[in-house]
Amino acid sequence: MKRKSKEERQKELLEMLEKDSFYTDEELSSYFNVSIQTIRLDRLQLGIPELRERIKNLAENNIDKVKSMKGKEIIGELITLEVGNLGISILETTNDMTYSKTSIVKGHYVFAQAESLAMAVIDAPVVLMGVANIKNMDPVKPNDRLIAKAEVVKVRDKKHYVHVRINNKNHVQVFRGKFIFDEIS
Amino acid sequence: MKRKSKEERQKELLEMLEKDSFYTDEELSSYFNVSIQTIRLDRLQLGIPELRERIKNLAENNIDKVKSMKGKEIIGELITLEVGNLGISILETTNDMTYSKTSIVKGHYVFAQAESLAMAVIDAPVVLMGVANIKNMDPVKPNDRLIAKAEVVKVRDKKHYVHVRINNKNHVQVFRGKFIFDEIS
């Protein structure tokens, strides 16, 4: 494949990151067939901060929208939030989170990301989680990036039904959860 | 009610704690209608350590029996363990574990106690949690003592079905969970 010129590459890189902020430098380097250093220089010239910084910036814009809990109590970084509708959060998994025998991330970290995001999207001041039905579809490894998406599917009789889906950074679904929260007053 | 003599009280106290190690000094004091100081003196004279110490001692005797994970990875103190059959653990809840808006313990702490105990009772070297169906029956407060009991109800096709029930210190059920773990090799 012929390499793109620097101008072409930077233009496309900017467009890609506007559509999806979550490309890593590694992914971009392999996509454009250039070194990671080149991508870093591109970002520097274009004034685009590194991925971790981009995630943090997005999270800071969303955390004050949360109604049902304190925003900082969410496990993971809150990327998108439309209260009463949907939310997206990102959790970076680490070696500390794994079972030592399997090197697989403990289920309750994934559960905590899902449950706290599900709670964050609810349009009510105080809720309690009543029922959850969850499924782990694929083992979660450390040093992965879990992208959770929560959607409010129904609200009836002060019960909020929320579905959560979590994909890993390779776009493989690792978790799905169906939650019912009860409003309390 | 006529108070028992010191000899009668100490004899009965010893019998009670042999049957159930988890009475607090407060519970014993109200049962015998004496001050907490009197109960503490009784324990001292009988050589019975305080509750926290009794729980720790029991946990140390059980932690090495765990097959499917490292014993220290269990959330809570492991009180009883019959691998392949049943396990009991105790988790003391604290203010750190609560949502600030409700002062109710976050669901993922309770989930973590249940999931890790369910995993601990399984008679297999390596397992992964596949499915969980959980229900929170009553809000969990801080400074409570959660007593979780996990039972293996079925093993078929390398799938282990485990039920977990959690009561608070007032013997009110706060949680039930049904888990399916898959053996991996």
Side-chain angles (χ1 to χ4, degrees):
Chain A
M1 190 183 88
K2 193 178 140 292
R3 275 207 198 168
K4 294 177 166 98
S5 75
K6 183 175 155 186
E7 287 67 30
E8 286 175 312
R9 186 180 66 235
Q10 291 196 347
K11 184 162 173 283
E12 197 177 339
L13 192 150
L14 201 57
E15 287 166 0
M16 283 174 75
L17 289 178
E18 271 168 8
K19 274 197 202 128
D20 177 351
S21 319
F22 306 131
Y23 289 106
T24 60
D25 288 351
E26 288 73 14
E27 286 166 344
L28 294 166
S29 122
S30 108
Y31 176 82
F32 288 111
N33 194 25
V34 296
S35 70
I36 291 183
Q37 281 66 26
T38 304
I39 294 293
R40 285 192 190 134
L41 270 173
D42 283 347
R43 282 200 294 95
L44 212 63
Q45 290 178 6
L46 295 164
I48 301 171
E50 59 161 351
L51 176 61
R52 200 169 300 265
E53 201 59 35
R54 299 201 297 277
I55 291 176
K56 240 178 78 186
N57 294 346
L58 279 169
E60 279 165 8
N61 291 337
N62 282 295
I63 212 152
D64 294 332
K65 298 185 198 160
V66 179
K67 279 192 180 179
S68 59
M69 62 202 283
K70 291 222 170 144
K72 66 175 172 47
E73 295 179 334
I74 294 167
I75 310 295
E77 301 279 0
L78 190 62
I79 299 307
T80 300
L81 184 67
E82 298 171 26
V83 171
N85 185 18
L86 74 82
I88 295 175
S89 77
I90 287 195
L91 178 68
E92 312 264 351
T93 60
T94 61
N95 284 311
D96 297 346
M97 299 179 178
T98 62
Y99 282 114
S100 54
K101 272 195 145 187
T102 54
S103 295
I104 287 168
V105 171
K106 294 173 189 174
H108 51 263
Y109 286 102
V110 183
F111 180 84
Q113 181 188 18
E115 189 208 19
S116 61
L117 180 65
M119 197 158 166
V121 300
I122 290 173
D123 188 6
V126 188
V127 291
L128 270 181
M129 205 269 276
V131 176
N133 191 300
I134 70 171
K135 190 166 183 176
N136 293 309
M137 344 272 286
D138 215 58
V140 174
K141 303 275 162 55
N143 308 312
D144 202 337
R145 196 169 65 249
L146 299 183
I147 303 177
K149 184 175 177 188
E151 283 182 285
V152 180
V153 294
K154 189 167 73 174
V155 182
R156 191 172 297 165
D157 299 335
K158 306 209 165 219
K159 285 181 185 295
H160 299 249
Y161 298 73
V162 185
H163 288 186
V164 181
R165 182 195 164 100
I166 302 181
N167 287 0
N168 67 17
K169 68 179 171 191
N170 298 320
H171 311 286
V172 174
Q173 184 173 2
V174 295
F175 174 97
R176 76 125 178 80
K178 298 176 180 177
F179 295 87
I180 306 175
F181 289 83
D182 300 291
E183 269 180 55
I184 53 175
S185 43
Chain B
M1 190 184 88
K2 195 179 140 289
R3 275 205 198 170
K4 295 178 167 96
S5 74
K6 181 176 159 187
E7 286 69 32
E8 285 175 315
R9 188 181 64 238
Q10 292 197 346
K11 185 163 171 279
E12 197 177 342
L13 191 153
L14 202 59
E15 285 166 1
M16 283 173 75
L17 290 177
E18 270 168 8
K19 275 196 204 131
D20 178 351
S21 320
F22 305 132
Y23 289 107
T24 61
D25 289 351
E26 288 73 14
E27 286 165 343
L28 294 167
S29 122
S30 108
Y31 176 81
F32 288 111
N33 193 26
V34 296
S35 71
I36 291 184
Q37 281 66 27
T38 302
I39 295 294
R40 285 192 190 133
L41 269 175
D42 283 346
R43 282 201 294 93
L44 212 64
Q45 289 179 7
L46 295 165
I48 302 170
E50 57 161 354
L51 176 62
R52 201 170 299 266
E53 201 58 36
R54 298 200 297 276
I55 291 175
K56 241 179 77 188
N57 293 347
L58 278 169
E60 279 166 7
N61 292 336
N62 283 295
I63 211 152
D64 294 333
K65 298 185 200 161
V66 179
K67 278 192 179 180
S68 59
M69 63 201 283
K70 290 221 172 147
K72 67 175 170 49
E73 293 178 336
I74 294 167
I75 309 295
E77 301 280 0
L78 190 61
I79 298 306
T80 302
L81 185 66
E82 297 171 27
V83 171
N85 183 18
L86 74 83
I88 294 175
S89 77
I90 286 194
L91 179 67
E92 312 264 351
T93 61
T94 62
N95 284 310
D96 295 348
M97 299 179 178
T98 63
Y99 282 113
S100 54
K101 273 195 145 187
T102 53
S103 296
I104 286 168
V105 171
K106 293 173 190 173
H108 51 263
Y109 286 102
V110 183
F111 180 84
Q113 180 187 17
E115 189 208 19
S116 62
L117 180 65
M119 196 159 169
V121 300
I122 290 172
D123 189 7
V126 189
V127 292
L128 271 181
M129 206 268 276
V131 176
N133 190 300
I134 71 172
K135 190 166 184 177
N136 293 310
M137 344 271 286
D138 214 59
V140 175
K141 304 276 162 56
N143 308 312
D144 203 337
R145 195 168 66 249
L146 299 182
I147 303 177
K149 185 174 175 187
E151 284 181 283
V152 180
V153 295
K154 190 165 75 173
V155 182
R156 191 173 296 165
D157 299 333
K158 304 207 168 221
K159 284 180 185 299
H160 299 249
Y161 298 73
V162 185
H163 289 185
V164 180
R165 181 195 166 100
I166 301 182
N167 287 0
N168 67 17
K169 68 178 170 189
N170 299 320
H171 311 287
V172 173
Q173 185 172 3
V174 295
F175 173 98
R176 75 125 179 78
K178 298 176 181 181
F179 296 87
I180 307 175
F181 289 83
D182 300 291
E183 267 179 57
I184 53 175
S185 43

